[in-house]
Amino acid sequence: MRRASITGRAAGRRRPSLALAALPLVLVLASCGGASRADGTGGGLGGRTDGKGSPTLNVGDQKGGSESMLRAAGELDDLPYTIKWSTFTSGPPLLEAVNAGAVDVGAVGNTPPVFAGAARSKIKVIAGSHSRSDGEAILVKKDSPLRSPAELKGRSIAVAQGSSAHYQLIASLQAAGLSPKDVTLNYLQPADALAAFTRGKVDAWAVWDPYTSQALDQAGARILTMGQGLVNGLSFQVAAPAALDDGAKSAALKDYTARLRRAQDWVFRHPAAWAKTWAKATGLPEGVARDAVRRTRGTAVPVAVDRAAIGSEQRIVDAFAALKLIPRSFDFGELVDPRFNGGLPPSGTAPRTYGKAQ
């Protein structure tokens, strides 16, 4: 694994050396590997394939993500083109692959495109969804003395840099009258963050579902604060401009995003079936998968990447730029290709809900 970068007042802190095989959660299975590499491929593709014929879409995914959802919903049956899958630990490394041209399209949260855009990456946001943000959480141990976000002052917090959890953390700190300068940020991918959290090397962990649900069930964690009401709940499909400029691939991308919308509808209608499939795909306990589906994963509704979405993302750009956590500010609208927006509801459409998460 690549050594994680660590910033803040404890920049010299060494990450824990807990052997990954000894970790109590299957989380490590979902996030092992270098932060800029596809699982088991050394940075190449070489994953599973679906469909037949041309073109071939190289699709970046995260464990238990788009591939599992499409397969469970039957949306990979009779595919008239080929999909080649590769799996990444989180959104930022996936977008590195999109920028490099190794991946044509992939799903990420609301913050990775901000970091990629600030780095002048060659990406285009082509589709969106809006879900509840209960799974975007700052976790502490059950026996932690911390009871409110304001009490994080002077504490160390693990977070994946450039992830959706990164902005959720910033927003939570600001709501409590704090800034990143008031805490120590430990930039760690989920497996390393889990090790640090489990060993008590950090005081808190900012993370997303299904890791939130899993840590609550298996790592002795409790929620200090959630992102609901603080973050926009958006996630995106992000494509390579070269793929959009290719007529055959552009047509395949239109079909692919339509299949994702139908699959998300299927997930909402069949939460128990999806949780069972998701658990099998990821190694998650089925109860944890059910919790994550009810809390966030089943609540997503497909939406247009419209002016409101662009404005909401621009606020994330401005927040990170003001804190100098990205190298420059930029117009988020420049990253958006709206060609697949037709007929979709506004980005502010309320997420679905199953009622109170169990």
Side-chain angles (χ1 to χ4, degrees):
M1 286 190 176
R2 189 178 71 183
R3 181 176 297 277
S5 60
I6 301 176
T7 65
R9 291 180 306 199
R13 185 193 304 274
R14 298 182 63 183
R15 69 184 189 183
S17 58
L18 180 64
L20 295 181
L23 291 178
L25 301 185
V26 72
L27 171 64
V28 66
L29 298 178
S31 45
C32 232
S36 61
R37 296 168 54 177
D39 286 353
T41 66
L45 297 171
R48 291 169 56 153
T49 61
D50 284 285
K52 59 184 178 181
S54 297
T56 294
L57 282 184
N58 294 314
V59 180
D61 199 15
Q62 297 181 50
K63 196 77 168 181
S66 299
E67 178 186 358
S68 296
M69 186 173 70
L70 289 165
R71 197 175 306 285
E75 290 292 340
L76 293 179
D77 301 338
D78 302 318
L79 199 65
Y81 49 89
T82 301
I83 292 178
K84 191 172 184 180
W85 302 95
S86 56
T87 307
F88 295 83
T89 61
S90 62
L94 191 160
L95 292 189
E96 290 178 19
V98 174
N99 176 61
V103 165
D104 294 317
V105 68
V108 299
N110 61 3
T111 305
V114 169
F115 276 70
R120 305 183 190 275
S121 295
K122 297 183 290 293
I123 63 168
K124 288 292 182 180
V125 176
I126 64 169
S129 63
H130 186 205
S131 61
R132 291 189 59 81
S133 302
D134 296 357
E136 296 272 356
I138 299 176
L139 304 177
V140 295
K141 301 291 284 186
K142 286 182 178 178
D143 60 357
S144 170
L146 302 179
R147 295 292 167 181
S148 73
E151 295 175 27
L152 289 169
K153 186 173 183 178
R155 303 287 186 159
S156 59
I157 307 170
V159 65
Q161 186 176 25
S163 68
S164 60
H166 196 176
Y167 181 67
Q168 185 267 131
L169 172 60
I170 298 302
S172 296
L173 291 173
Q174 290 180 336
L178 302 177
S179 80
K181 294 181 180 180
D182 293 314
V183 300
T184 297
L185 297 182
N186 289 253
Y187 289 137
L188 302 171
Q189 287 292 310
D192 291 333
L194 168 64
F197 184 77
T198 302
R199 292 285 297 272
K201 299 297 184 181
V202 293
D203 298 303
W205 180 17
V207 72
W208 61 93
D209 255 334
Y211 305 126
T212 297
S213 295
Q214 194 168 15
L216 292 173
D217 183 71
Q218 296 181 315
R222 63 176 169 84
I223 293 175
L224 183 70
T225 188
M226 296 185 298
Q228 191 66 28
L230 292 175
V231 298
N232 61 22
L234 294 175
S235 58
F236 301 108
Q237 293 292 323
V238 180
L244 290 165
D245 290 342
D246 181 300
K249 283 196 173 185
S250 179
L253 286 169
K254 182 177 181 179
D255 178 81
Y256 176 73
T257 54
R259 289 173 186 266
L260 285 170
R261 293 194 295 271
R262 294 194 297 267
Q264 190 64 62
D265 291 341
W266 181 90
V267 164
F268 180 70
R269 296 193 305 268
H270 303 88
W274 166 237
K276 186 173 183 178
T277 299
W278 194 20
K280 184 176 180 180
T282 60
L284 288 167
E286 193 170 330
V288 170
R290 284 196 302 269
D291 287 346
V293 169
R294 290 177 62 86
R295 186 177 282 113
T296 52
R297 290 302 180 95
T299 70
V301 58
V303 295
V305 188
D306 55 16
R307 288 185 179 179
I310 292 170
S312 182
E313 289 294 298
Q314 189 64 49
R315 288 189 285 276
I316 300 178
V317 172
D318 295 343
F320 277 105
L323 293 167
K324 301 189 183 304
L325 293 174
I326 55 176
R328 69 182 185 105
S329 185
F330 66 96
D331 179 358
F332 190 86
E334 295 176 353
L335 299 184
V336 174
D337 187 321
R339 71 179 72 180
F340 303 137
N341 272 348
L344 289 174
S347 60
T349 301
R352 297 154 169 158
T353 179
Y354 295 102
K356 185 177 180 180
Q358 300 298 312

Coordinates of all heavy atoms in Angstrom, one line a residue, residues 260-309:
L260 N -28.4 2.4 -15.4 CA -28.2 2.7 -14.0 C -29.4 3.3 -13.4 O -29.8 3.0 -12.2 CB -27.0 3.7 -13.9 CG -25.6 3.1 -14.1 CD1 -24.6 4.3 -14.2 CD2 -25.2 2.2 -13.0
R261 N -30.2 4.2 -14.1 CA -31.4 4.7 -13.5 C -32.4 3.6 -13.2 O -33.1 3.6 -12.2 CB -32.0 5.8 -14.4 CG -31.1 7.0 -14.6 CD -31.8 8.2 -15.2 NE -32.2 7.9 -16.6 CZ -31.5 8.2 -17.7 NH1 -30.3 8.7 -17.5 NH2 -31.9 7.9 -18.9
R262 N -32.6 2.7 -14.2 CA -33.6 1.6 -13.9 C -33.1 0.7 -12.8 O -33.9 0.3 -12.0 CB -33.7 0.8 -15.2 CG -34.4 1.6 -16.4 CD -34.8 0.7 -17.5 NE -33.7 -0.1 -18.1 CZ -33.1 0.3 -19.2 NH1 -33.4 1.5 -19.8 NH2 -32.1 -0.4 -19.7
A263 N -31.8 0.5 -12.7 CA -31.3 -0.3 -11.6 C -31.5 0.3 -10.2 O -31.8 -0.3 -9.3 CB -29.8 -0.6 -11.8
Q264 N -31.4 1.7 -10.2 CA -31.6 2.3 -8.9 C -33.1 2.3 -8.5 O -33.4 2.1 -7.3 CB -31.2 3.8 -9.0 CG -31.2 4.5 -7.7 CD -30.2 3.9 -6.7 OE1 -29.0 4.0 -7.0 NE2 -30.7 3.4 -5.6
D265 N -34.0 2.3 -9.5 CA -35.4 2.1 -9.2 C -35.6 0.7 -8.7 O -36.4 0.5 -7.7 CB -36.2 2.3 -10.5 CG -36.3 3.8 -11.0 OD1 -35.9 4.7 -10.2 OD2 -36.6 4.0 -12.2
W266 N -35.0 -0.3 -9.3 CA -35.1 -1.7 -8.8 C -34.6 -1.8 -7.3 O -35.3 -2.5 -6.5 CB -34.3 -2.6 -9.7 CG -34.4 -4.0 -9.3 CD1 -35.4 -4.9 -9.7 CD2 -33.6 -4.7 -8.4 NE1 -35.1 -6.1 -9.1 CE2 -34.1 -6.1 -8.3 CE3 -32.5 -4.4 -7.7 CZ2 -33.4 -7.0 -7.5 CZ3 -31.8 -5.3 -6.8 CH2 -32.3 -6.6 -6.8
V267 N -33.5 -1.2 -7.0 CA -33.0 -1.2 -5.7 C -34.0 -0.7 -4.7 O -34.2 -1.3 -3.6 CB -31.6 -0.4 -5.6 CG1 -31.3 -0.2 -4.1 CG2 -30.5 -1.2 -6.3
F268 N -34.6 0.4 -5.0 CA -35.6 1.0 -4.0 C -36.7 0.1 -3.8 O -37.2 -0.1 -2.7 CB -36.0 2.4 -4.5 CG -37.0 3.0 -3.6 CD1 -36.6 3.5 -2.3 CD2 -38.4 3.1 -3.9 CE1 -37.5 4.0 -1.4 CE2 -39.3 3.7 -3.0 CZ -38.9 4.1 -1.8
R269 N -37.2 -0.6 -4.9 CA -38.4 -1.5 -4.8 C -38.0 -2.8 -4.1 O -38.9 -3.5 -3.6 CB -39.0 -1.7 -6.2 CG -39.5 -0.5 -6.8 CD -40.4 -0.9 -8.0 NE -39.7 -1.7 -9.0 CZ -39.0 -1.2 -10.0 NH1 -38.9 0.1 -10.2 NH2 -38.3 -2.0 -10.9
H270 N -36.7 -3.2 -4.2 CA -36.3 -4.5 -3.7 C -35.2 -4.4 -2.7 O -34.1 -4.9 -2.9 CB -35.9 -5.4 -4.8 CG -37.0 -5.6 -5.8 ND1 -37.1 -4.8 -6.9 CD2 -38.0 -6.5 -6.0 CE1 -38.2 -5.2 -7.7 NE2 -38.7 -6.2 -7.1
P271 N -35.3 -3.6 -1.6 CA -34.2 -3.4 -0.7 C -33.6 -4.6 0.0 O -32.4 -4.7 0.1 CB -34.8 -2.4 0.4 CG -36.3 -2.7 0.3 CD -36.6 -3.0 -1.1
A272 N -34.5 -5.6 0.3 CA -34.0 -6.8 1.0 C -33.2 -7.6 0.0 O -32.1 -8.2 0.3 CB -35.2 -7.6 1.5
A273 N -33.7 -7.8 -1.3 CA -33.0 -8.5 -2.3 C -31.7 -7.9 -2.6 O -30.7 -8.6 -2.8 CB -33.9 -8.7 -3.5
W274 N -31.7 -6.6 -2.7 CA -30.4 -5.9 -3.0 C -29.4 -6.0 -1.9 O -28.2 -6.2 -2.1 CB -30.7 -4.4 -3.3 CG -29.5 -3.6 -3.4 CD1 -29.2 -2.5 -2.6 CD2 -28.3 -3.7 -4.1 NE1 -28.0 -1.9 -2.9 CE2 -27.4 -2.7 -3.8 CE3 -27.9 -4.7 -5.1 CZ2 -26.1 -2.6 -4.4 CZ3 -26.6 -4.6 -5.7 CH2 -25.8 -3.6 -5.3
A275 N -29.9 -5.9 -0.7 CA -29.0 -6.0 0.5 C -28.3 -7.4 0.5 O -27.1 -7.5 0.8 CB -29.7 -5.8 1.8
K276 N -29.1 -8.4 0.2 CA -28.6 -9.8 0.1 C -27.5 -9.9 -1.0 O -26.4 -10.5 -0.7 CB -29.7 -10.8 -0.1 CG -29.2 -12.3 0.0 CD -30.4 -13.2 -0.1 CE -30.0 -14.6 0.1 NZ -31.2 -15.5 0.1
T277 N -27.8 -9.4 -2.1 CA -26.8 -9.4 -3.2 C -25.6 -8.6 -2.9 O -24.5 -9.0 -3.2 CB -27.5 -8.9 -4.5 OG1 -28.6 -9.7 -4.8 CG2 -26.5 -8.9 -5.7
W278 N -25.8 -7.4 -2.4 CA -24.7 -6.5 -2.0 C -23.8 -7.2 -1.0 O -22.6 -7.1 -1.1 CB -25.3 -5.2 -1.5 CG -24.4 -4.1 -1.5 CD1 -23.2 -3.9 -2.1 CD2 -24.5 -2.9 -0.7 NE1 -22.6 -2.7 -1.8 CE2 -23.4 -2.1 -0.9 CE3 -25.5 -2.4 0.2 CZ2 -23.2 -0.8 -0.3 CZ3 -25.4 -1.2 0.8 CH2 -24.2 -0.4 0.5
A279 N -24.4 -7.8 0.0 CA -23.6 -8.5 1.0 C -22.7 -9.6 0.4 O -21.6 -9.7 0.8 CB -24.6 -9.1 2.1
K280 N -23.3 -10.3 -0.5 CA -22.5 -11.4 -1.2 C -21.4 -10.8 -2.0 O -20.3 -11.3 -2.0 CB -23.5 -12.2 -2.0 CG -22.8 -13.4 -2.7 CD -23.8 -14.2 -3.5 CE -23.1 -15.4 -4.1 NZ -24.0 -16.3 -4.9
A281 N -21.7 -9.7 -2.7 CA -20.6 -9.1 -3.5 C -19.5 -8.5 -2.8 O -18.4 -8.5 -3.2 CB -21.3 -8.0 -4.4
T282 N -19.8 -8.0 -1.6 CA -18.8 -7.2 -0.8 C -18.2 -8.0 0.4 O -17.2 -7.6 0.9 CB -19.3 -5.9 -0.3 OG1 -20.5 -6.2 0.6 CG2 -19.8 -5.0 -1.4
G283 N -18.9 -9.0 0.8 CA -18.5 -9.7 2.1 C -19.1 -9.0 3.3 O -18.8 -9.4 4.4
L284 N -19.9 -8.0 3.1 CA -20.6 -7.3 4.2 C -21.6 -8.3 4.9 O -22.2 -9.1 4.2 CB -21.4 -6.1 3.7 CG -20.7 -4.9 3.3 CD1 -21.6 -3.9 2.5 CD2 -20.1 -4.2 4.4
P285 N -21.7 -8.2 6.2 CA -22.8 -8.9 6.8 C -24.2 -8.4 6.3 O -24.3 -7.2 6.0 CB -22.7 -8.6 8.3 CG -21.3 -8.2 8.5 CD -20.9 -7.5 7.2
E286 N -25.1 -9.3 6.1 CA -26.4 -8.9 5.4 C -27.1 -7.8 6.2 O -27.7 -6.9 5.7 CB -27.3 -10.1 5.3 CG -28.4 -9.9 4.3 CD -29.2 -11.1 3.9 OE1 -28.6 -12.2 3.9 OE2 -30.4 -11.0 3.7
G287 N -27.0 -7.9 7.6 CA -27.6 -6.9 8.4 C -27.0 -5.5 8.1 O -27.7 -4.5 8.1
V288 N -25.7 -5.4 8.0 CA -25.0 -4.2 7.7 C -25.5 -3.6 6.4 O -25.7 -2.4 6.2 CB -23.5 -4.4 7.7 CG1 -22.8 -3.1 7.2 CG2 -23.0 -4.7 9.2
A289 N -25.6 -4.5 5.4 CA -26.0 -4.1 4.0 C -27.4 -3.6 4.1 O -27.7 -2.5 3.5 CB -25.9 -5.3 3.1
R290 N -28.3 -4.2 4.8 CA -29.7 -3.7 5.0 C -29.7 -2.3 5.6 O -30.4 -1.4 5.1 CB -30.5 -4.6 5.8 CG -31.0 -5.9 5.1 CD -32.1 -6.6 5.8 NE -31.8 -6.9 7.2 CZ -31.2 -8.1 7.6 NH1 -31.0 -9.0 6.6 NH2 -31.0 -8.3 8.8
D291 N -28.9 -2.1 6.6 CA -28.8 -0.8 7.2 C -28.3 0.3 6.2 O -28.9 1.4 6.2 CB -27.8 -0.8 8.4 CG -28.4 -1.6 9.6 OD1 -29.6 -1.8 9.6 OD2 -27.7 -1.9 10.5
A292 N -27.3 0.0 5.5 CA -26.8 0.9 4.5 C -27.7 1.2 3.4 O -27.8 2.4 2.9 CB -25.4 0.4 3.9
V293 N -28.5 0.2 3.0 CA -29.5 0.4 2.0 C -30.6 1.4 2.5 O -31.0 2.4 1.8 CB -30.2 -0.9 1.5 CG1 -31.4 -0.6 0.6 CG2 -29.2 -1.7 0.7
R294 N -31.0 1.2 3.7 CA -32.1 2.0 4.2 C -31.6 3.4 4.6 O -32.3 4.4 4.4 CB -32.7 1.4 5.5 CG -33.5 0.1 5.3 CD -33.9 -0.5 6.6 NE -34.8 0.4 7.3 CZ -36.1 0.5 7.1 NH1 -36.7 -0.2 6.2 NH2 -36.8 1.4 7.8
R295 N -30.3 3.5 5.0 CA -29.8 4.8 5.4 C -29.5 5.7 4.2 O -29.7 6.9 4.2 CB -28.5 4.5 6.2 CG -27.9 5.8 6.9 CD -26.7 5.5 7.7 NE -27.2 5.0 9.0 CZ -27.0 3.7 9.5 NH1 -26.4 2.8 8.7 NH2 -27.4 3.3 10.7
T296 N -28.9 5.1 3.2 CA -28.4 5.9 2.0 C -28.6 5.2 0.7 O -29.1 5.8 -0.2 CB -26.9 6.3 2.2 OG1 -26.2 5.1 2.4 CG2 -26.7 7.3 3.3
R297 N -28.0 4.0 0.5 CA -27.9 3.5 -0.8 C -29.2 3.2 -1.6 O -29.2 3.3 -2.8 CB -27.1 2.2 -0.7 CG -25.6 2.4 -0.3 CD -24.9 3.3 -1.3 NE -23.5 3.5 -1.0 CZ -22.5 2.8 -1.5 NH1 -22.7 1.8 -2.4 NH2 -21.2 3.0 -1.2
G298 N -30.3 3.0 -0.8 CA -31.5 2.8 -1.5 C -32.3 4.0 -1.8 O -33.4 4.0 -2.4
T299 N -31.9 5.1 -1.2 CA -32.7 6.4 -1.3 C -32.4 7.2 -2.5 O -33.1 8.2 -2.7 CB -32.5 7.2 0.0 OG1 -31.1 7.8 0.0 CG2 -32.6 6.4 1.3
A300 N -31.4 6.9 -3.3 CA -31.0 7.7 -4.4 C -32.1 7.8 -5.5 O -32.7 6.8 -5.8 CB -29.7 7.2 -5.0
V301 N -32.2 9.0 -6.0 CA -33.1 9.3 -7.1 C -32.3 9.9 -8.2 O -31.6 10.8 -8.0 CB -34.3 10.1 -6.7 CG1 -33.9 11.5 -6.1 CG2 -35.3 10.4 -7.9
P302 N -32.4 9.4 -9.5 CA -31.7 10.0 -10.6 C -32.2 11.4 -10.8 O -33.4 11.7 -10.8 CB -32.0 9.1 -11.8 CG -32.4 7.8 -11.1 CD -33.1 8.1 -9.9
V303 N -31.2 12.3 -11.0 CA -31.6 13.7 -11.2 C -30.7 14.3 -12.3 O -29.6 13.8 -12.7 CB -31.4 14.6 -10.0 CG1 -32.4 14.1 -8.9 CG2 -29.9 14.5 -9.5
A304 N -31.1 15.5 -12.9 CA -30.3 16.2 -13.9 C -29.2 16.9 -13.2 O -29.2 17.3 -12.1 CB -31.2 17.2 -14.6
V305 N -28.1 17.0 -14.0 CA -27.0 17.8 -13.5 C -27.3 19.2 -14.0 O -26.8 19.7 -15.1 CB -25.6 17.3 -14.0 CG1 -24.5 18.1 -13.4 CG2 -25.5 15.8 -13.8
D306 N -28.1 20.0 -13.3 CA -28.6 21.2 -13.7 C -27.9 22.4 -13.0 O -26.9 22.2 -12.4 CB -30.1 21.3 -13.5 CG -30.5 21.0 -12.0 OD1 -29.6 21.0 -11.1 OD2 -31.7 20.7 -11.7
R307 N -28.5 23.6 -13.2 CA -27.8 24.8 -12.7 C -27.8 24.7 -11.1 O -26.8 25.2 -10.5 CB -28.6 26.0 -13.1 CG -28.4 26.4 -14.6 CD -29.1 27.7 -14.9 NE -28.9 28.1 -16.3 CZ -29.4 29.2 -16.9 NH1 -30.1 30.0 -16.1 NH2 -29.2 29.4 -18.1
A308 N -28.8 24.2 -10.5 CA -28.8 24.1 -9.1 C -27.7 23.1 -8.6 O -27.0 23.4 -7.6 CB -30.1 23.6 -8.6
A309 N -27.5 22.0 -9.3 CA -26.4 21.1 -9.0 C -25.1 21.7 -9.1 O -24.2 21.6 -8.3 CB -26.5 19.8 -9.8

